[in-house]
Amino acid sequence: MSCFLCNSSLGKKLVMSVTGCCLVLFLLFHMSMNLVAIISPEGYNMVCEFLGANWYALAGTVGLAVLVVLHFVYALILTLNNYRARGTQRYAVTVNEPGVEWASKNMLVLGVIVVLGLLLHLLNFWSKMQLVEIMGNESSVVGGMTVSAHDGATLVAYTFSQWYYVVLYIIWLGALWLHLTHGIWSMFQTVGWANDTWYPRLKCISNIFATIIVLGFMAVVLVYFVYSLCGGCSACGGCL
């Protein structure tokens, strides 16, 4: 089995599909968790405390890191192999559509942008929350404020009050949307479902999932940015 997953093109694509599926499910969970920050900052902080430096949260963090590394490494290997075999034709697909050609041929570039955005996200949040707890501290200094490791709502409010972070996150989420619209469909293609009958259905499902995930994350960014612009007036203060 290990030789099949490492040496076979189908095996590599299977690893990509399984790790990608797990990461999409995590994105759905993370997006749902983030939406709590709009509904109830206090409830969001309770979730952050539950997912702090507890053994199950740490195990999940390690598992996610392994999934991301495997997904990226196998994507790099597949891309290099395809370059050698077919020159600049990076992805061999059974069904072509002009609207998805750019995304399908630039999945690695989109993936790099997604990973860079992930590193920024880890710097802004994970390093000031779970990592702080792992290091044995209870708070960190952010923007001149002392913020508790469980006070995710304050970190969200501060981060998305900075226009440059808002721009970077929008770019990141745009790349994530393009990556997901092709990536989710590719998971089905790997198991041979991308025929003439199922292609339109699977493409529609991919677009719906990708849009839901990205709009959920985008809502948190934009709501908190608008809230920072209005300075916490009564119109928004009742929501946040």
Side-chain angles (χ1 to χ4, degrees), residues 152-181:
T154 296
L155 283 175
V156 170
Y158 171 76
T159 301
F160 299 130
S161 68
Q162 313 299 315
W163 67 267
Y164 46 87
Y165 281 135
V166 174
V167 171
L168 289 174
Y169 270 77
I170 289 174
I171 293 172
W172 177 33
L173 292 172
L176 179 63
W177 186 84
L178 289 169
H179 192 77
L180 289 176
T181 52

Side-chain angles (χ1 to χ4, degrees), residues 4-6 9-21 67 70-71 74 190:
F4 169 73
L5 296 178
C6 295
S9 177
L10 180 59
K12 295 184 182 76
K13 291 178 181 178
L14 183 60
V15 172
M16 287 286 293
S17 297
V18 173
T19 56
C21 181
L67 288 173
L70 282 175
H71 194 74
Y74 271 76
T190 298

Side-chain angles (χ1 to χ4, degrees), residues 127-200:
S127 68
K128 298 175 176 65
M129 298 176 73
Q130 191 179 74
L131 181 60
V132 167
E133 288 191 82
I134 293 173
M135 300 298 292
N137 300 315
E138 297 182 355
S139 62
S140 60
V141 177
V142 180
M145 304 177 293
T146 300
V147 181
S148 167
H150 299 151
D151 193 357
T154 296
L155 283 175
V156 170
Y158 171 76
T159 301
F160 299 130
S161 68
Q162 313 299 315
W163 67 267
Y164 46 87
Y165 281 135
V166 174
V167 171
L168 289 174
Y169 270 77
I170 289 174
I171 293 172
W172 177 33
L173 292 172
L176 179 63
W177 186 84
L178 289 169
H179 192 77
L180 289 176
T181 52
H182 181 76
I184 295 174
W185 165 73
S186 295
M187 293 189 299
F188 296 111
Q189 182 195 12
T190 298
V191 296
W193 286 6
N195 52 41
D196 292 338
T197 300
W198 275 97
Y199 175 79

Side-chain angles (χ1 to χ4, degrees), residues 9-214:
S9 177
L10 180 59
K12 295 184 182 76
K13 291 178 181 178
L14 183 60
V15 172
M16 287 286 293
S17 297
V18 173
T19 56
C21 181
C22 292
L23 291 173
V24 168
L25 292 175
F26 170 74
L27 285 174
L28 278 172
F29 163 76
H30 194 26
M31 180 270 295
S32 302
M33 183 187 81
N34 281 11
L35 289 177
V36 177
I38 297 177
I39 302 169
S40 171
E42 293 78 12
Y44 180 69
N45 286 344
M46 290 176 63
V47 175
C48 291
E49 183 174 2
F50 178 73
L51 296 175
N54 304 301
W55 69 267
Y56 47 84
L58 293 175
T61 300
V62 172
L64 282 170
V66 171
L67 288 173
V68 170
V69 170
L70 282 175
H71 194 74
F72 186 80
V73 168
Y74 271 76
L76 183 61
I77 293 172
L78 279 170
T79 301
L80 292 175
N81 288 345
N82 286 333
Y83 260 127
R84 295 191 187 101
R86 290 184 291 272
T88 58
Q89 184 182 343
R90 304 179 200 176
Y91 289 88
V93 297
T94 57
V95 183
N96 288 311
E97 180 185 351
V100 299
E101 282 298 309
W102 189 89
S104 66
K105 291 181 178 180
N106 292 276
M107 285 294 283
L108 185 63
V109 174
L110 292 171
V112 169
I113 296 174
V114 170
V115 170
L116 291 175
L118 175 61
L119 294 176
L120 176 65
H121 193 61
L122 291 174
L123 178 65
N124 283 336
F125 295 98
W126 179 77
S127 68
K128 298 175 176 65
M129 298 176 73
Q130 191 179 74
L131 181 60
V132 167
E133 288 191 82
I134 293 173
M135 300 298 292
N137 300 315
E138 297 182 355
S139 62
S140 60
V141 177
V142 180
M145 304 177 293
T146 300
V147 181
S148 167
H150 299 151
D151 193 357
T154 296
L155 283 175
V156 170
Y158 171 76
T159 301
F160 299 130
S161 68
Q162 313 299 315
W163 67 267
Y164 46 87
Y165 281 135
V166 174
V167 171
L168 289 174
Y169 270 77
I170 289 174
I171 293 172
W172 177 33
L173 292 172
L176 179 63
W177 186 84
L178 289 169
H179 192 77
L180 289 176
T181 52
H182 181 76
I184 295 174
W185 165 73
S186 295
M187 293 189 299
F188 296 111
Q189 182 195 12
T190 298
V191 296
W193 286 6
N195 52 41
D196 292 338
T197 300
W198 275 97
Y199 175 79
R201 303 172 186 174
L202 296 176
K203 189 59 189 170
C204 181
I205 292 172
S206 300
N207 289 340
I208 290 172
F209 264 78
T211 302
I212 290 174
I213 290 172
V214 169

